[in-house]
Amino acid sequence: MFSLDFVLKEKELEALKSIQEKTLEIQSLEEEKQHKAVEFRLAQRRRSARDEEQRLKRREEVYNRVKKELIEAESELQMIVQDIERLESMSSEDISHRVAQELAESLIQKREEKDDKEKDFAGRSIQIENLEKSIRDNRERLANIEEAVANREKEFNDIVNQKDENIKSISKEIEDSCSDLDEKVVARFIDLAKRSKGLVLTEARKDKDFEDNIVFICVACNSALPSLCLEELEEKGCICVCSNCGRWITN
């Protein structure tokens, strides 16, 4: 009732135990790979590199815009200077009194424009210098981050590749062991292993219930085992199935 519908020889049982150990070992290696990914924080490092790239891109866009404005300001300043020089070169003898007054006013206005434009030009020049320094710093930080990411990725990949090689080798051993067993037994074992995190074979452990009565429980799920299951296990030397988790209990 509680036993498997097939009988396993001692050699077959030992083979299944070996397969289970190797399956759990593979599972452990896969978990170690995941833990290493968290430990190395590669995703965060890559995100940091992308963020730095975006900051650099924005600063370069601002730099190009300010650089263009600086060139335009320089051109406008040159035109104002030329206008002032032209106005200053005009002889008062060649113009009327009214025109002379207009000329004087134009000179004052142009000189004010020149002062404003020079201040604007100086301010943009300082802004350009600051942006150039900021861009250099950004590029240096980005280079350092990319180098760190590349080094960590190489170290991580070396570890993962080694674990993958181990997994491949263990998987081959499992495959060889399975080839010596009945296909139906292997199929049921693998199906249960997928549903029970690789742990198929377990044992019964003596314990006490709330009334201090001796009971036997499934080591895998801590559920009490029916007495009939224990009788079959002891009398026939077969494998019982836990009615709660479905794992195979060996004597």
Side-chain angles (χ1 to χ4, degrees):
M1 179 179 180
F2 293 98
S3 60
L4 293 174
D5 55 2
F6 55 84
V7 177
L8 289 175
K9 298 178 182 178
E10 186 67 25
K11 183 178 179 181
E12 293 173 325
L13 181 57
E14 290 303 317
L16 288 177
K17 287 181 179 179
S18 176
I19 290 172
Q20 175 168 283
E21 289 177 2
K22 290 179 171 60
T23 301
L24 293 174
E25 187 176 354
I26 289 176
Q27 184 175 302
S28 176
L29 288 169
E30 292 289 357
E31 290 174 353
E32 287 176 14
K33 284 164 58 177
Q34 294 177 3
H35 292 156
K36 282 296 179 183
V38 174
E39 176 187 334
F40 276 66
R41 298 186 298 118
L42 291 178
Q44 293 93 322
R45 293 174 186 274
R46 294 189 191 103
R47 185 163 55 249
S48 177
R50 288 195 299 270
D51 291 344
E52 195 64 38
E53 285 177 343
Q54 289 300 316
R55 282 192 288 270
L56 176 59
K57 182 179 179 181
R58 287 193 295 269
R59 284 194 172 92
E60 286 177 337
E61 289 173 351
V62 173
Y63 173 83
N64 292 332
R65 175 176 57 78
V66 175
K67 186 73 172 178
K68 181 181 178 182
E69 292 172 352
L70 181 65
I71 293 172
E72 292 173 352
E74 184 178 20
S75 176
E76 291 173 2
L77 180 59
Q78 289 175 351
M79 292 176 63
I80 292 172
V81 170
Q82 290 173 0
D83 288 342
I84 291 174
E85 290 175 350
R86 179 177 57 79
L87 291 171
E88 289 178 339
S89 67
M90 296 178 67
S91 172
S92 59
E93 297 176 357
D94 300 331
I95 56 178
S96 64
H97 177 71
R98 183 178 61 81
V99 174
Q101 285 183 324
E102 293 176 354
L103 177 61
E105 292 174 357
S106 295
L107 275 171
I108 293 172
Q109 181 181 353
K110 287 295 180 181
R111 284 168 180 160
E112 289 176 350
E113 289 180 9
K114 178 175 175 289
D115 291 341
D116 292 340
K117 192 58 66 176
E118 284 177 340
K119 291 178 182 178
D120 179 55
F121 183 81
R124 294 184 188 280
S125 297
I126 293 172
Q127 189 178 5
I128 283 290
E129 290 178 3
N130 292 336
L131 283 168
E132 287 175 343
K133 181 181 182 304
S134 179
I135 288 172
R136 286 195 301 271
D137 292 342
N138 269 123
R139 286 173 176 165
E140 184 177 350
R141 282 196 302 272
L142 180 58
N144 291 336
I145 292 172
E146 288 177 338
E147 182 181 3
V149 170
N151 291 337
R152 293 294 279 177
E153 281 186 336
K154 183 181 183 304
E155 186 179 352
F156 174 75
N157 289 334
D158 288 343
I159 293 173
V160 170
N161 289 338
Q162 181 60 53
K163 293 187 183 300
D164 284 340
E165 285 296 321
N166 293 341
I167 290 172
K168 183 178 179 181
S169 175
I170 296 170
S171 298
K172 181 64 170 60
E173 293 175 7
I174 292 175
E175 184 180 341
D176 293 341
S177 298
C178 288
S179 63
D180 297 329
L181 297 171
D182 183 271
E183 291 182 1
K184 293 182 179 179
V185 173
V186 172
R188 289 181 61 174
F189 184 88
I190 292 176
D191 180 63
L192 182 55
K194 291 178 180 177
R195 292 185 283 111
S196 58
K197 298 182 179 180
L199 184 61
V200 177
L201 301 173
T202 186
E203 297 176 347
R205 185 181 73 235
K206 185 184 291 187
D207 205 345
K208 289 185 178 181
D209 61 15
F210 295 112
E211 298 178 352
D212 278 347
N213 296 317
I214 299 297
V215 294
F216 285 86
I217 64 172
C218 170
V219 171
C221 68
N222 291 322
S223 295
L225 298 171
S227 56
L228 184 57
C229 175
L230 298 174
E231 290 175 6
E232 291 181 349
L233 189 63
E234 291 177 355
E235 292 177 4
K236 300 179 182 178
C238 60
I239 295 178
C240 288
V241 178
C242 175
S243 58
N244 181 60
C245 67
R247 290 182 173 89
W248 300 354
I249 301 172
T250 61
N251 189 350

